[in-house]
Amino acid sequence: SIDTGAPRWARAVEFVGCVPEVLMTASKSNGASNRDESVTKVSYAEKKAHLDKLLDHFKTAFLVSHAKDDPQSHYHARPMGVLDHDDSGDLWFATSIDSPKIAEITADPKVLVTMQDDRRFVCLTGRAEVVRDRRKIDELWSPALDVWFPEGKDDPSLALIRVDTNEATFWDNSGLKGLKYLFQAAAA
C-alpha cells in the first residue's frame, strides 16, 4: 500500500454514511460504491476529527477478547477505563499483568472495543498488545488508577494494553442528522 501520511487505521478509507433518509454503502475491495450522489461528501479530515471528538467523549469502553481456555470458543467482554487515544488510532488501557485478559490477548491479539451512550456508538477492531514501557506508563498515569494499583505507577503488576485500531465504525445521532462512518486499514 502507498503511505498517504494518514494514520494506519485510516489508510484506504472506505466511507459509509447514513442519515435518516439516505443509506450509502461502499463495496468491500474495489472502492466502488452504491452512493446517492446528492449526499454531501465528507472529507477524511472531517471524518477523523469527528471520530477523535467522539473518542474524547468516552471514558470507558468494553474490551472484548477471545477467551483462551474456553472449550466453546466464547468471547470475554469487560469494562475498561480508556486512558488515552492518539493520532495513530491507538487506544490505551491499564491492567494488571496477572489479569486473565493478558493471557487471552497473548494467545489471540484480535480484539473488539465498543463504546456507547444514549446517542453515540463506537466500535473499533484491532490488535492488542501488552506494553510494560515505564515511560509510557508515566505518560498515561492518572491518580484515578490508584484504586487498582495502590503502589502507584511503580506497581510491578501494572501493564498497559495498546489497541492498534484497524477498523472504526461509529454512529453519532447527537446532532440534527445521524452519521455512520466506517474506516478500514489498507491490506498490507
Side-chain angles (χ1 to χ4, degrees):
S1 73
I2 298 171
D3 185 0
T4 62
R8 290 182 307 274
W9 59 271
R11 291 186 189 135
V13 173
E14 290 189 38
F15 168 60
V16 178
C18 71
V19 293
E21 310 80 31
V22 179
L23 176 63
M24 300 183 300
T25 59
S27 71
K28 292 181 181 176
S29 61
N30 66 7
S33 64
N34 176 17
R35 294 186 179 150
D36 180 339
E37 294 302 322
S38 68
V39 174
T40 303
K41 293 187 179 184
V42 179
S43 73
Y44 163 77
E46 291 171 308
K47 290 180 271 189
K48 181 180 181 323
H50 198 95
L51 179 58
D52 286 343
K53 182 179 173 185
L54 281 176
L55 291 176
D56 287 342
H57 174 78
F58 293 105
K59 304 300 178 214
T60 59
F62 268 91
L63 175 66
V64 183
S65 57
H66 190 249
K68 175 182 168 269
D69 294 327
D70 187 338
Q72 297 178 0
S73 298
H74 288 138
Y75 290 87
H76 182 199
R78 80 280 290 154
M80 302 282 294
V82 179
L83 295 179
D84 194 21
H85 69 91
D86 58 33
D87 288 341
S88 67
D90 293 345
L91 290 174
W92 293 89
F93 304 95
T95 192
S96 169
I97 196 68
D98 301 319
S99 168
K101 72 179 99 30
I102 297 297
E104 293 170 5
I105 289 168
T106 301
D108 183 357
K110 293 181 296 244
V111 296
L112 172 80
V113 178
T114 64
M115 305 168 191
Q116 80 173 61
D117 68 12
D118 290 342
R119 302 192 57 82
R120 297 174 189 99
F121 309 87
V122 176
C123 181
L124 307 166
T125 59
R127 298 184 70 77
E129 75 170 307
V130 178
V131 176
R132 301 293 305 264
D133 180 343
R134 299 316 298 176
R135 287 181 296 180
K136 192 66 178 178
I137 290 171
D138 286 343
E139 175 189 333
L140 297 177
W141 178 258
S142 164
L145 295 172
D146 283 333
V147 172
W148 293 278
F149 303 99
E151 295 180 41
K153 61 184 172 183
D154 295 320
D155 191 313
S157 69
L158 175 59
L160 300 173
I161 296 173
R162 180 182 72 91
V163 177
D164 178 9
T165 304
N166 60 30
E167 182 176 284
T169 306
F170 62 89
W171 298 263
D172 183 359
N173 295 317
S174 62
L176 295 176
K177 294 182 178 179
L179 299 173
K180 175 185 175 185
Y181 297 108
L182 170 65
F183 294 94
Q184 291 184 320

